[in-house]
Amino acid sequence: MAFPKPGLFCFATNTRSYQESSGVTIDDTSLPEKNTSSRKFSQKPKTLSCQFSIGSQISPWPTYTSGQTILHNRKPCTVDYRKRAGSLQHPVSTTKPRYLERLENYLRKELLLLDLSTDSAQELRLQVTKLRKKLAEEYLHYLSERDARKILIADLNELRYQREDMSLAQSPGVWGEDPVKLTLALKMVRQDLTRTQMELNTMKANFGDVVPRRDFEMQEKTNKDLQEQVLVGRQGRMGSYGWAGTGDQSPYPQLECLKADYEEVCKEHEILLQLHMSTLKERDQFHSELQEIQSTSTPRPVWIKCEHVVAGGPERWHMLAEGKNSDQLVDVLLEEIGEGLLREKNFFPGLGFGEHIPPFLRFDGVVENKKPTKKEVVKLIRDFWKERLAEDQKEKFSDFFFNFLEHHFGPDDAMAWAYTIFENIKLFHSNEVMSQFYAVLMGKIKESVYIKEKETVAQLLKEMTNTDSQNEGYITIEQLSTVLKSIFPVKKDERMQELMEAAGWHPDISNSDFIKYSSLFLEDEEGQGTPFIQKLWEQYTAEKDEYLQDLKQELGLELNDKVNLVKVREALMNIDPSLDKLTLKKYLSYAFQLTELPEEGDEMEQEIVASVQSALEQLHMSDTRRIGPREAEPTS
């Protein structure tokens, strides 16, 4: 069966239909009718020959007409087509298939040829039954093919509708353009895009760091305004600075900052000018004083002249004068002169029994001068310290000294040796052993100061020995610096540098160089220590003076003013926050000369008072030193 082209069909159904789940419409008129022929055939077998002989149909073709309507010579999916689709349909009856007609003709011929006698009735029934089954199968196959064809035509029409809708949605000018023309246009557009991209890259490379003209003009205007403001400021610098008095608000916040900075710089410049003028005045004043001194004062002494007068000649004088200033050289010269005079004396007059006379010097009459050498006096003092440190130190120092002399020289010569040693230690201030012993004996410093100093020296030697892991007697400069920092954690850098230089360091040597640390603690026969030990004692004295000066400033009182225990405690804690309670209590006992202090917060603390001068003197006599660094004061 030949079908027309799919694009030329459009179906409309006029009969009642059933909607399947797939969306396909099926006509109920195509369902097979109930065939009652078989029932009639079984009931009336004898009349079968009459039915078939007359030419009646076994299964007449359905009398319904199909809902298919074909429209010829119409352009599909157009406006005219859609408007007239419902009114220009011409129904066409569906004809019976040819193979069914041939089958019916064949059956008619066969029925006419069959013998319809009684004997062959049973065989005829069987053949008829088979033919009916075959006819029913062919009929069902035809129905399925027909329904599939309807579904296919409906899908094709739906696809065409969709394509037409899409074409109508597009621009009318694009539809139907020549493909060659479009290809050529695309090629030209791509060339233009490439050329534009190259030009854009060139512009970026050449003008990437160029600012817009609008920004440039704005910055230029701001620059001119700033130059005008600076010019006005320069003109008014020598007069009054009237930036803040104008009352106008600048539209540029940066300009206001620059104005403030300029004002500050101008003020600093004025201050520097004043300082410069005062410096010039001081320079002129000092120059005048220098000229006056040069014209009126005596010239500086030529100390080299003393080397021919001092016993021992130039070598001994150079040894005595090494590292000393003019004031110290005067003391050395006086000692040399006094030593000669002391040796000329054979007797010392007794000082009597006054209260101001030390107990070991209380004597009437004259005593013999034993005339010992400096070495003998130093040895005697060292022996005294050994015995003193070996005792419990409960006995008074001056009494222990006189008992020591009685024990070594007997009661008769004890007083003579007391006067002799006293005159020698009073004369030789430059000798460290004698000067320290004289200060303790006369009560200028307490015994604990000397003991603490010796303990510090012993601790230094012990730490250096522990650092020397090879026990060779040498340590490096770096190790020496580490030991000093561990023993003196609060010592200033410049004083630490002085100790390093006294130990033998100088800029020409490296930190890996070795020094013989045991040589830093040696003393000669006359009690003269090394520069390292002398520098330790000098720094201890200077640091104590600075500590007490800080305390005086913190108290804010004059030397003759009275101060109580509470205020001294607060001042000590302010200048030395690292003070522990035990050390603080010890310092307060020194300052107020008390053996026991009241509990903190007791009302009696307010009643314990002393003059500022007395408190500072007592602390200076005692072992007073800074425990920790003072907190940095905030900068103004």
Side-chain angles (χ1 to χ4, degrees), residues 99-100 103 133-143:
Y99 72 91
L100 289 179
L103 182 59
K133 290 181 178 180
K134 185 175 181 181
L135 179 61
E137 292 175 359
E138 291 294 331
Y139 183 68
L140 292 175
H141 179 69
Y142 171 76
L143 292 177

Side-chain angles (χ1 to χ4, degrees), residues 348-555:
F348 299 108
L351 300 178
F353 293 91
E355 293 182 358
H356 62 282
I357 303 299
F360 60 91
L361 296 179
R362 291 176 181 176
F363 183 77
D364 279 336
V366 293
V367 293
E368 181 184 0
N369 182 8
K370 297 296 183 180
K371 298 180 180 181
T373 62
K374 188 183 294 186
K375 297 179 182 179
E376 293 174 346
V377 175
V378 169
K379 182 178 181 303
L380 190 62
I381 294 174
R382 287 174 176 170
D383 294 339
F384 167 80
W385 278 117
K386 290 180 181 179
E387 294 189 14
R388 179 62 176 175
L389 296 177
E391 299 292 335
D392 54 4
Q393 304 174 13
K394 291 183 179 181
E395 189 176 2
K396 194 175 180 179
F397 188 84
S398 58
D399 296 340
F400 187 85
F401 171 65
F402 192 77
N403 293 335
F404 170 80
L405 296 177
E406 287 183 340
H407 177 72
H408 281 73
F409 302 106
D412 297 335
D413 291 335
M415 186 60 66
W417 277 104
Y419 271 87
T420 301
I421 294 175
F422 177 76
E423 293 295 335
N424 278 270
I425 62 178
K426 183 176 65 172
L427 176 63
F428 297 105
H429 296 287
S430 62
N431 188 283
E432 183 179 350
V433 175
M434 294 186 183
S435 62
Q436 290 179 353
F437 184 74
Y438 175 78
V440 176
L441 186 63
M442 299 305 296
K444 294 183 178 181
I445 62 173
K446 293 185 178 180
E447 185 180 359
S448 58
V449 176
Y450 175 84
I451 296 174
K452 182 63 178 180
E453 187 66 18
K454 292 301 179 182
E455 289 177 353
T456 302
V457 173
Q459 186 180 4
L460 276 172
L461 179 59
K462 181 181 179 181
E463 291 294 331
M464 294 181 186
T465 304
N466 294 336
T467 305
D468 181 17
S469 57
Q470 303 296 330
N471 293 327
E472 296 178 351
Y474 293 90
I475 59 174
T476 63
I477 295 295
E478 184 176 2
Q479 291 173 338
L480 173 63
S481 176
T482 303
V483 171
L484 292 177
K485 290 179 180 179
S486 64
I487 301 298
F488 308 108
V490 297
K491 193 177 287 292
K492 296 180 180 179
D493 293 339
E494 56 270 16
R495 289 199 171 125
M496 192 69 69
Q497 186 74 14
E498 292 176 358
L499 283 179
M500 293 292 294
E501 293 176 355
W505 177 87
H506 54 84
D508 295 336
I509 64 176
S510 63
N511 291 337
S512 59
D513 290 341
F514 289 89
I515 62 170
K516 189 176 182 180
Y517 59 89
S518 59
S519 62
L520 302 177
F521 305 94
L522 297 178
E523 288 183 355
D524 57 14
E525 295 179 351
E526 295 184 354
Q528 196 68 25
T530 61
F532 180 75
I533 299 299
Q534 293 178 6
K535 184 61 66 176
L536 280 177
W537 179 255
E538 291 176 6
Q539 289 187 358
Y540 167 74
T541 305
E543 289 169 356
K544 182 193 290 187
D545 293 340
E546 293 176 359
Y547 186 73
L548 296 180
Q549 184 64 27
D550 292 343
L551 178 61
K552 181 179 179 298
Q553 293 180 357
E554 186 68 24
L555 291 173

Side-chain angles (χ1 to χ4, degrees), residues 77 160-172 174-175:
C77 302
R160 180 169 291 278
Y161 294 153
Q162 293 178 0
R163 188 176 66 178
E164 186 178 51
D165 294 337
M166 293 176 62
S167 64
L168 291 175
Q170 295 179 354
S171 175
V174 178
W175 182 258

Side-chain angles (χ1 to χ4, degrees), residues 170-184:
Q170 295 179 354
S171 175
V174 178
W175 182 258
E177 290 287 341
D178 186 8
V180 177
K181 183 179 179 181
L182 293 176
T183 303
L184 182 59

